[in-house]
Amino acid sequence: MLEQLLIFTRGGLILWTCNQFTNALKGSPIDTLIRSCLLEERSGAASFTYDAPGASYSLKWTFHNDLGLVFVAVYQRILQLLYVDDLLAAVKREFSRLYHPQKTAYGDFDEIFRQLQIEAEARTENFKKTNSLPAVGPQRKQQNAASQGQGQGQNAGSEKKSDGDGNGKKGRRLESGGFVVANNNCNANLKNRGNGSVNTGKENASANIGAFDVNRLQKLKGKGGNGNGKKKEAVVAVKAEPKKVVKKNRVWDDSTPQTKLDFTDHLDGDGDGDKKVDFLAKEQGESMMDKEEVLSSDSEIEEEDDDDTGKGSKPEAKKKGWFSSMFQSIAGKANLEKSDLEPALKALKDRLMTKNVAEEIAEKLCESVAASLEGKKLASFTRISSTVHTAMEDALVRILTPRRSIDILRDVHAAKEQRKPYVVVFVGVNGVGKSTNLAKVAYWLLQHNTSVMMAACDTFRSGAVEQLRTHARRLQIPIFEKGYEKDPAIVAKEAIQEASRNGSDVVLVDTAGRMQDNEPLMRALSKLIYLNNPDLVLFVGEALVGNDAVDQLSKFNQKLADLSTSPTPRLIDGILLTKFDTIDDKVGAALSMVYVSGAPVMFVGCGQSYTDLKKLNVKSIVKTLLK
């Protein structure tokens, strides 16, 4: 039974709800559907599942894109209601006849809906009966025939047991080669004989091929014995060979090797360690986070878009002809159908995949754009390809634009007023540049007069503590370390306590790189996040990855949720994309990561110096994706 059926506009105005459903919905399934599915360009999915304390709902929906209406049906997840899609289509058809933009109350639709629901349920019941009744007779006949065959097979098996002297056994083991000879073929022939069936020559030939030949087994036995003898002789020959002489390393000269291997500048050196941060800032320059990126003019963007749409419309023009396409662009099309959108959507999907967007994400995006355009009237002097291009551009901007504002500097000052440090944890897979980009973030925070402390919680990788110590020495900031083979959760907790005593504003926690399938390391990371409750969890990912970005982020979030002991587990809050300067126009990883996790891209690493950290320019990314 349905729990609720709701009709509202794309602007959020509720036009009609069914009054006969008196049970109140637990939680907020409609709001969750709008927030996490419809606004995130996931409307191409067939259904949406909402889990609430004490209830679990399934939601299905449809659009009337020409009128801007949304129809949503809610029912219990455990129920299999086959008539929901049919009912939504009927409600959409009937309500569109009554709809008027100036009208907000539709009380006269209650009786119409009640009749539509009865008709939909009746059609479903008739469909079940027509599909289930014809199958009853043949199933019973097959069951009777099978029972008769089993009885005859049992009689034939009893005859077989009375005939032979132990041949009815499943098989016997040969002493030499370990072969097991099965008599299943004999039993199969007896069963066929009991059923009265006649075996053809092909069946007999296949049965003979499947059975073992005794003469052939003896030959195999002899070959096996000879092979074993050869193997023994080879083993003896190997044992008799002398040991190989190991070649010594060549010595190029007689000078003694240098004992100094660490050439980094130390604090007690020739005064180089006494450099202040302002001198380092003069050498490195201003961080790119505080610089505004200059885009090309709008005219250039429009020209490129016109060229792209012209290219995409060439195959369509060939199919429809010059006059028909020109007439359609002048007069407009009544309503767009899915078949009209498929060529342009396929071209857009291929273009997104060439930009390193995951195939699954590109497919879902195209389905969502098709759902938002299907049934919409095409304006005059407008091509279908340009309409699809504009809809895809709007969808990409909505996805890449953060749903909530995360201003780190504002949050740092708010935490400072509460006299506690602002904690940021950097997580990610191996080799993506967590420690290097942590130092870039520290450099950016230092330029905004914020005291920073590093916490070396990568106690697994050799050289991780020394690497972070070098960055801390160059930036002249404190570092909290406990060495290797320590519990990173305890190290992070002690670092936060030390920062509270010293008055540090921000604690940047470096963690070990781990693959998303490594459960012990993911459990340790979940413990670190649960025990310290950081203010921000940043996922550091490469911009080079394609389909693997979906797997990494989804499994990181899943493991953090499954392995956490808290009822409300912490997930990834933001993304830091590294190696962005090496990908040219292959910027699809940013879209894939944001689409999967819903977390915004907060930083972009674009070089090897401390200043090479900038914000993600959404317009530039969208332009590159659709170029």
Side-chain angles (χ1 to χ4, degrees):
M1 181 179 177
L2 284 177
E3 295 290 332
Q4 187 57 267
L5 198 141
L6 189 70
I7 303 175
F8 56 93
T9 64
R10 287 186 179 271
L13 177 64
I14 299 177
L15 300 177
W16 180 83
T17 57
C18 186
N19 296 325
Q20 71 182 26
F21 303 133
T22 57
N23 296 331
L25 297 177
K26 297 181 180 180
S28 54
I30 305 293
D31 295 341
T32 307
L33 172 69
I34 296 172
R35 184 172 57 252
S36 62
C37 192
L38 302 185
L39 294 180
E40 291 295 323
E41 296 301 325
R42 303 172 195 268
S43 55
S47 62
F48 176 75
T49 302
Y50 175 79
D51 293 323
S56 180
Y57 299 111
S58 289
L59 292 87
K60 288 191 175 183
W61 62 91
T62 185
F63 300 109
H64 197 300
N65 293 311
D66 194 19
L67 300 179
L69 302 178
V70 184
F71 304 82
V72 181
V74 186
Y75 59 95
Q76 291 288 343
R77 184 182 179 185
I78 196 174
L79 301 177
Q80 299 294 332
L81 300 183
L82 303 178
Y83 63 87
V84 174
D85 294 329
D86 188 15
L87 179 62
L88 282 175
V91 169
K92 172 184 173 182
R93 182 181 64 252
E94 296 297 330
F95 190 84
S96 60
R97 297 174 181 174
L98 300 177
Y99 176 72
H100 191 274
Q102 304 297 329
K103 189 177 179 181
T104 57
Y106 293 88
D108 52 346
F109 190 69
D110 294 342
E111 186 62 31
I112 300 175
F113 171 75
R114 192 176 299 108
Q115 186 65 28
L116 292 176
Q117 185 180 11
I118 294 173
E119 292 176 359
E121 291 177 353
R123 283 194 296 269
T124 304
E125 291 297 328
N126 293 333
F127 179 75
K128 288 181 179 179
K129 291 178 181 179
T130 53
N131 284 349
S132 59
L133 286 177
V136 174
Q139 285 180 357
R140 290 181 179 175
K141 291 180 181 180
Q142 290 175 4
Q143 291 175 0
N144 295 332
S147 61
Q148 291 176 3
Q150 289 178 0
Q152 293 175 357
Q154 290 175 0
N155 296 333
S158 62
E159 292 176 3
K160 178 65 182 175
K161 289 180 181 178
S162 62
D163 287 342
D165 51 351
N167 293 332
K169 297 180 180 179
K170 290 184 179 180
R172 56 191 177 90
R173 185 177 183 85
L174 296 181
E175 296 177 357
S176 59
F179 295 98
V180 178
V181 183
N183 291 327
N184 292 332
N185 294 321
C186 300
N187 294 333
N189 292 332
L190 287 172
K191 287 182 180 180
N192 293 332
R193 195 181 304 167
N195 290 333
S197 61
V198 180
N199 291 331
T200 61
K202 293 182 179 180
E203 293 175 353
N204 291 330
S206 62
N208 292 330
I209 291 171
F212 284 102
D213 190 2
V214 177
N215 297 327
R216 192 176 179 183
L217 289 176
Q218 290 178 355
K219 292 179 182 180
L220 292 174
K221 178 180 177 182
K223 290 181 180 180
N226 296 332
N228 293 334
K230 291 180 181 179
K231 289 182 180 178
K232 291 180 180 178
E233 292 175 0
V235 171
V236 174
V238 171
K239 289 183 179 178
E241 289 181 358
K243 294 183 179 180
K244 294 182 179 180
V245 179
V246 180
K247 185 178 178 180
K248 296 182 180 179
N249 295 328
R250 179 175 293 178
V251 180
W252 294 99
D253 52 12
D254 297 333
S255 60
T256 57
Q258 295 181 357
T259 57
K260 183 181 179 182
L261 297 177
D262 186 7
F263 292 94
T264 56
D265 297 329
H266 298 280
L267 292 176
D268 53 353
D270 299 330
D272 295 335
D274 296 332
K275 290 183 179 179
K276 302 297 181 183
V277 180
D278 54 350
F279 291 101
L280 184 59
K282 290 179 181 179
E283 296 175 4
Q284 297 285 340
E286 186 182 2
S287 176
M288 297 177 68
M289 283 289 296
D290 302 320
K291 295 180 181 179
E292 293 293 335
E293 187 175 356
V294 180
L295 283 175
S296 58
S297 61
D298 294 336
S299 60
E300 294 177 358
I301 298 176
E302 291 176 359
E303 288 176 2
E304 291 177 359
D305 290 344
D306 291 338
D307 294 339
D308 291 340
T309 53
K311 293 177 183 177
S313 61
K314 283 181 181 179
E316 189 178 349
K318 289 180 181 179
K319 291 181 181 179
K320 294 186 177 181
W322 175 79
F323 180 77
S324 60
S325 61
M326 183 188 69
F327 179 77
Q328 180 176 320
S329 63
I330 295 175
K333 186 174 174 64
N335 288 307
L336 288 174
E337 298 177 358
K338 193 171 184 179
S339 58
D340 301 327
L341 302 172
E342 283 179 356
L345 287 174
K346 187 179 183 303
L348 272 180
K349 178 186 174 183
D350 295 340
R351 189 181 305 174
L352 290 175
M353 290 176 62
T354 57
K355 303 296 183 180
N356 221 12
V357 178
E359 181 181 3
E360 180 185 357
I361 306 301
E363 182 71 28
K364 289 182 179 179
L365 274 173
C366 291
E367 290 176 358
S368 179
V369 170
S372 64
L373 291 178
E374 190 175 355
K376 193 174 183 180
K377 186 176 181 181
L378 186 66
S380 301
F381 299 98
T382 306
R383 295 176 179 175
I384 296 177
S385 56
S386 60
T387 303
V388 173
H389 189 279
T390 304
M392 179 64 76
E393 184 177 357
D394 295 339
L396 293 178
V397 170
R398 280 196 300 270
I399 292 171
L400 292 173
T401 303
R403 288 182 294 177
R404 59 188 183 92
S405 176
I406 301 179
D407 191 345
I408 293 182
L409 296 176
R410 181 193 61 196
D411 296 341
V412 167
H413 289 299
K416 189 176 180 180
E417 292 177 356
Q418 299 177 4
R419 296 182 179 180
K420 66 175 186 178
Y422 186 81
V423 182
V424 184
V425 175
F426 293 77
V427 302
V429 299
N430 308 80
V432 294
K434 290 184 293 298
S435 303
T436 303
N437 286 274
L438 182 147
K440 294 180 184 179
V441 174
Y443 179 78
W444 171 66
L445 290 171
L446 288 173
Q447 288 188 326
H448 290 273
N449 300 322
T450 304
S451 58
V452 183
M453 186 178 78
M454 294 182 179
C457 296
D458 185 356
T459 62
F460 181 76
R461 176 173 64 90
S462 299
V465 177
E466 288 78 7
Q467 179 186 7
L468 211 64
R469 190 188 301 156
T470 302
H471 286 303
R473 184 165 60 247
R474 292 196 65 195
L475 295 173
Q476 290 292 310
I477 59 178
I479 179 174
F480 186 88
E481 58 174 282
K482 286 291 185 178
Y484 297 98
E485 297 183 359
K486 301 294 191 302
D487 188 355
I490 303 300
V491 176
K493 185 176 182 179
E494 294 178 357
I496 295 172
Q497 294 174 355
E498 181 69 18
S500 300
R501 288 191 293 267
N502 296 339
S504 298
D505 298 332
V506 182
V507 179
L508 303 179
V509 180
D510 185 27
T511 61
R514 65 206 75 209
M515 297 305 294
Q516 60 270 22
D517 296 322
N518 193 330
E519 185 169 342
L521 288 179
M522 291 301 300
R523 191 179 297 275
L525 179 63
S526 178
K527 177 185 176 183
L528 185 149
I529 294 176
Y530 171 71
L531 189 63
N532 298 283
N533 192 21
D535 299 282
L536 186 65
V537 179
L538 276 182
F539 178 84
V540 184
E542 284 183 334
L544 302 169
V545 295
N547 290 329
D548 198 34
V550 178
D551 187 60
Q552 288 178 8
L553 259 176
S554 59
K555 287 189 176 179
F556 254 83
N557 268 333
Q558 181 182 353
K559 292 293 184 182
L560 290 178
D562 295 343
L563 300 177
S564 177
T565 56
S566 173
T568 56
R570 285 291 304 277
L571 302 179
I572 292 170
D573 300 318
I575 300 169
L576 194 156
L577 272 179
T578 64
K579 307 176 186 178
F580 211 73
D581 55 325
T582 63
I583 57 173
D584 195 18
D585 61 343
K586 304 293 190 292
V587 297
L591 178 64
S592 299
M593 290 184 178
V594 174
Y595 189 89
V596 169
S597 64
V601 177
M602 302 182 61
F603 302 100
V604 174
C606 53
Q608 297 181 3
S609 62
Y610 291 132
T611 59
D612 294 330
L613 190 74
K614 63 181 182 179
K615 299 177 183 178
L616 183 73
N617 194 314
V618 175
K619 292 183 179 179
S620 176
I621 296 296
V622 173
K623 173 188 170 183
T624 306
L625 285 172
L626 298 178
K627 183 168 62 175

